[in-house]
Amino acid sequence: MKKFLKILKSIIFIAIVIFGVIELNNIFMRKSLSKPWDMGNKIGGFFNETEDYNAMFFGSSHTYCSFEPLVIYENTGVKSYVLGSQKQPLQITASYVKEALRIKHPSVIFVDIQSSIYKIQEDASVVNSYSDYLPMSKNKIEMIVKKVPKEFKAISILPLVSYHSRWDELKDEDYNFDKNSYKDYLKGYVLLKGQSKDFKKDIVQDKDIYLNSISAFDEKNYLKENLKAFDEIIDLANRNGVKLYFVKTPVYDYNLYKKNINTIENYLEKKGATFIDFNKFYDEINLTKDDFYDPHHLNVKGAEKFNLFFIDYMKKEGIFQENLANDKAWQENIKIYDINKS
């Protein structure tokens, strides 16, 4: 009996510690609610959604600044969601695809290859961005163990390690925050207006670092990890009976990436995977510099041009059909979007 009580007390103690750590994580973790980069709403909001999606988009910021689920819905009746994070490594994208297919049932998914055509230097902000709002699950644990760099494993499972210095910054919203309140009417899209100051002046910050990251995309271990991630995503799509498109969304500095994109395109072709480089349709989309927020991301004006072209392209592919866009909640979101984009 004494032994049983001792074990029971140990279990209760461990449970209290775990509960306390979880609560501290929730308090200290940045909520990321400031638009347009409110990733708490965009990633966390996905896991609060109860409805299913016909299509989903995955990848880095190139994905969430390019695809507009509300524009797609208004023109096709197809419901979709963008699930991505800044500088998201492709192997992490594979984990995102796995998690999404565990709880949703899209018939088609689109994965932007951006993170495979330049070498991402992961830092705490990148890791926190893709790990903070991903619910704890077997998949997340496997992601942390196998894919997160060794020096960042602690902060990916215990965000309070990364955010402990926020003590003086904590507000009432941190103590009273409910993760169930995460919600994004844009369904993961990041709405950018106009252009960044540097882009207007043709200034490229950290140009040498930027160019080196592009030239280092095929370093042996880095390329090997990305090719393995492509294989994982292809396998996930096949096992779940999901149509898969790898894509490259439009970028202003396309020529810097062109050779790298061709390398990835050749690999995907050998794997029998479908790849579409939408940069080859600049003239058809009618893109100009005014359509880009910076060299890498479309602004809302450019995104609308791209999405209308993308919709027509997918109709020709037989992916998007004409359905009635009569969901009142989505229609209300479209009205809000039309106001906020202007």
Side-chain angles (χ1 to χ4, degrees):
M1 186 64 179
K2 288 183 178 180
K3 186 177 181 180
F4 171 76
L5 289 174
K6 186 175 182 180
I7 294 174
L8 182 60
K9 288 179 180 179
S10 297
I11 293 174
I12 293 173
F13 174 76
I14 293 172
I16 292 173
V17 170
I18 293 174
F19 177 78
V21 169
I22 292 174
E23 285 302 302
L24 286 173
N25 277 338
N26 291 335
I27 291 173
F28 279 94
M29 190 173 73
R30 292 188 188 279
K31 307 307 182 288
S32 190
L33 302 176
S34 299
K35 297 182 182 303
W37 314 100
D38 52 333
M39 302 316 298
N41 284 325
K42 297 181 185 304
I43 300 175
F46 171 75
F47 295 99
N48 289 332
E49 293 282 359
T50 57
E51 63 182 345
D52 215 337
Y53 298 100
N54 308 105
M56 287 197 66
F57 305 93
F58 299 90
S60 65
S61 58
H62 288 242
T63 307
Y64 62 59
C65 288
S66 298
F67 292 105
E68 295 190 272
L70 295 183
V71 173
I72 293 171
Y73 179 74
E74 185 176 26
N75 288 275
T76 67
V78 171
K79 292 183 177 181
S80 61
Y81 203 101
V82 185
L83 192 61
S85 62
Q86 61 156 333
K87 296 184 179 180
Q88 186 177 99
L90 192 67
Q91 58 181 337
I92 300 301
T93 299
S95 293
Y96 265 55
V97 171
K98 185 176 182 179
E99 190 66 16
L101 294 182
R102 185 177 67 83
I103 59 178
K104 302 295 182 183
H105 306 87
S107 58
V108 59
I109 61 174
F110 301 86
V111 178
D112 194 308
I113 70 164
Q114 178 63 32
S115 57
S116 71
I117 58 175
Y118 78 112
K119 187 175 181 181
I120 296 173
Q121 297 293 341
E122 287 188 64
D123 57 24
S125 65
V126 170
V127 174
N128 283 133
S129 180
Y130 67 63
S131 65
D132 281 1
Y133 313 106
L134 193 65
M136 187 57 66
S137 66
K138 178 184 177 184
N139 178 45
K140 181 173 182 177
I141 293 173
E142 289 177 347
M143 179 189 80
I144 294 170
V145 172
K146 298 178 181 180
K147 301 177 179 180
V148 176
K150 183 178 180 181
E151 63 270 30
F152 299 124
K153 290 186 187 297
I155 67 171
S156 61
I157 198 167
L158 293 172
L160 67 89
V161 173
S162 181
Y163 300 130
H164 67 277
S165 61
R166 290 192 65 225
W167 184 267
D168 293 335
E169 302 175 17
L170 296 179
K171 302 176 182 178
D172 287 343
E173 68 181 29
D174 290 297
Y175 294 105
N176 302 317
F177 188 77
D178 180 3
K179 289 194 292 185
N180 292 324
S181 67
Y182 280 135
K183 189 173 181 64
D184 182 36
Y185 84 96
L186 290 169
K187 307 300 180 182
Y189 168 64
V190 170
L191 192 161
L192 299 177
K193 297 180 184 180
Q195 296 177 313
S196 69
K197 293 180 181 179
D198 285 344
F199 187 52
K200 282 183 179 180
K201 299 177 181 179
D202 293 319
I203 297 173
V204 179
Q205 294 287 349
D206 301 318
K207 186 175 181 178
D208 290 340
I209 295 175
Y210 170 52
L211 293 175
N212 286 338
S213 71
I214 294 175
S215 62
F217 94 105
D218 59 353
E219 285 186 0
K220 185 176 179 180
N221 288 336
Y222 190 73
L223 183 60
K224 182 179 179 181
E225 288 178 353
N226 282 325
L227 298 184
K228 184 179 178 181
F230 279 122
D231 293 346
E232 183 180 355
I233 294 169
I234 293 170
D235 181 61
L236 283 167
N238 289 337
R239 286 194 285 112
N240 285 275
V242 176
K243 181 70 175 176
L244 168 64
Y245 285 88
F246 289 105
V247 299
K248 183 66 223 80
T249 51
V251 289
Y252 185 71
D253 47 2
Y254 176 65
N255 287 333
L256 296 177
Y257 294 109
K258 191 173 182 179
K259 182 179 177 182
N260 299 1
I261 292 173
N262 288 338
T263 299
I264 299 301
E265 183 175 13
N266 290 334
Y267 178 78
L268 293 175
E269 184 178 346
K270 292 177 182 177
K271 299 295 294 187
T274 303
F275 172 70
I276 307 170
D277 182 0
F278 285 104
N279 291 278
K280 295 179 179 180
F281 302 99
Y282 253 71
D283 292 339
E284 291 92 332
I285 302 174
N286 193 28
L287 290 173
T288 67
K289 182 179 179 179
D290 290 339
D291 297 314
F292 290 87
Y293 177 78
D294 59 25
H296 327 298
H297 306 101
L298 291 165
N299 57 30
V300 66
K301 178 185 172 185
E304 284 204 349
K305 286 184 179 182
F306 166 63
N307 277 267
L308 292 176
F309 178 86
F310 171 74
I311 289 166
D312 287 341
Y313 194 103
M314 286 300 116
K315 284 180 178 178
K316 293 174 183 177
E317 287 277 305
I319 299 300
F320 289 169
Q321 306 297 330
E322 291 294 344
N323 298 309
L324 190 60
N326 63 352
D327 187 302
K328 291 183 179 179
W330 282 70
Q331 289 175 339
E332 285 301 314
N333 288 337
I334 291 170
K335 290 179 182 178
I336 297 171
Y337 163 76
D338 286 337
I339 294 172
N340 289 338
K341 74 178 182 181
S342 58

